[in-house]
């Protein structure tokens, strides 16, 4: 019995060591489980925050999508207006081409008028030269005529004075 009691005491000591080790292991496991619960709570909070952020982003993307739809409509309207402007510009280009052709015709007519004016200028220059020649001839003619008239007057006066015509001053009855 003593042996049995001794065996039981030894067994009891071993059991106490095992229980003490089990308690240490259980305390560590409890700590690990607490840490795991804290990590899971933190992950749950992160996932909830991400879900909230995704919901906010979803709303914002929905708003942006609506705005993009509005912008698409506005762009379509601008495209239509630009198409109308392109047509108007094509019409203006055609009108400008017509005006260019008319201006070319006017330029040609003006060139013809310039040539005619140059011809008239040349004719006027010729007439001016002829008039200057005639004027010079007339002055010379008038000068010659004046000199001739002076000579005639002198001759007549001399002839009258000396009585060559029978009417001289020296004749009786002439004063």
């Amino acid at each position: 019995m003593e042996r049995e009691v001794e065996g039981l005491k030894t067994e009891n000591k071993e059991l106490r060591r095992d229980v003490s080790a089990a308690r240490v292991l259980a305390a560590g496991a409890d700590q690990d489980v607490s840490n795991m619960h804290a990590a899971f709570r933190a992950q749950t909070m992160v996932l909830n925050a991400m879900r909230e952020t995704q919901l906010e982003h979803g709303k914002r993307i929905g708003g942006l999508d609506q705005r993009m739809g509005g912008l698409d409509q506005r762009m379509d309207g601008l495209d239509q207006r630009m198409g109308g402007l392109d047509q108007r510009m094509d019409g203006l280009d055609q009108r400008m081409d017509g005006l260019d052709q008319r201006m070319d015709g006017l330029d040609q007519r003006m060139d013809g008028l310039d040539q005619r004016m140059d011809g008239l200028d040349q004719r006027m220059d010729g007439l001016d030269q002829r008039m200057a020649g005639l004027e010079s001839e007339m002055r010379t003619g008038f000068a010659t005529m004046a000199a001739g008239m002076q000579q005639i007057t002198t001759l007549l006066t001399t002839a009258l004075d000396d009585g060559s015509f029978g009417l001289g001053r020296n004749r009786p009855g002439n004063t």
Side-chain angles (χ1 to χ4, degrees):
M1 215 125 134
E2 275 187 35
R3 266 200 242 178
E4 279 185 38
V5 169
E6 273 308 312
L8 283 174
K9 279 187 185 181
T10 306
E11 234 180 271
N12 190 17
K13 280 185 190 179
E14 285 178 19
L15 280 174
R16 283 185 188 210
R17 267 188 265 148
D18 286 344
V19 166
S20 176
R23 281 187 184 155
V24 169
L25 286 174
D30 186 48
Q31 183 66 35
D32 287 344
V33 167
S34 284
N35 289 342
M36 290 295 283
H37 279 297
F40 283 137
R41 271 187 245 121
Q43 285 181 351
T44 301
M45 288 173 60
V46 167
L47 288 173
N48 284 336
M50 286 177 61
R51 182 175 183 273
E52 288 297 319
T53 302
Q54 282 180 332
L55 289 174
E56 285 178 28
H57 287 171
K59 288 177 185 176
R60 291 175 100 184
I61 288 172
L64 290 174
D65 191 37
Q66 288 177 349
R67 287 179 67 187
M68 286 300 290
L71 287 175
D72 281 341
Q73 289 175 350
R74 287 177 67 187
M75 287 301 289
D76 289 342
L78 287 174
D79 282 343
Q80 289 174 355
R81 288 176 68 185
M82 287 302 290
L85 286 175
D86 283 342
Q87 289 175 351
R88 288 178 68 185
M89 287 302 289
D90 290 342
L92 286 174
D93 283 343
Q94 290 173 353
R95 288 178 66 186
M96 288 301 289
D97 289 342
L99 287 174
D100 282 343
Q101 290 173 355
R102 288 177 67 187
M103 288 301 288
D104 289 342
L106 287 174
D107 282 344
Q108 290 173 353
R109 288 177 66 186
M110 288 301 288
D111 288 344
L113 287 174
D114 283 344
Q115 290 172 353
R116 288 177 65 186
M117 288 299 289
D118 288 343
L120 287 175
D121 282 344
Q122 289 173 355
R123 287 177 64 189
M124 287 299 289
D125 289 343
L127 287 174
D128 283 345
Q129 289 173 355
R130 285 179 62 193
M131 287 295 287
L134 286 174
E135 187 178 334
S136 175
E137 284 180 35
M138 283 177 58
R139 285 181 192 211
T140 304
F142 283 140
T144 303
M145 194 165 83
M149 288 182 80
Q150 184 63 39
Q151 284 178 348
I152 291 171
T153 304
T154 303
L155 287 173
L156 283 173
T157 303
T158 305
L160 284 174
D161 284 345
D162 68 8
S164 305
F165 289 118
L167 299 172
R169 283 189 187 162
N170 297 333
R171 295 212 168 189
N174 285 341
T175 54

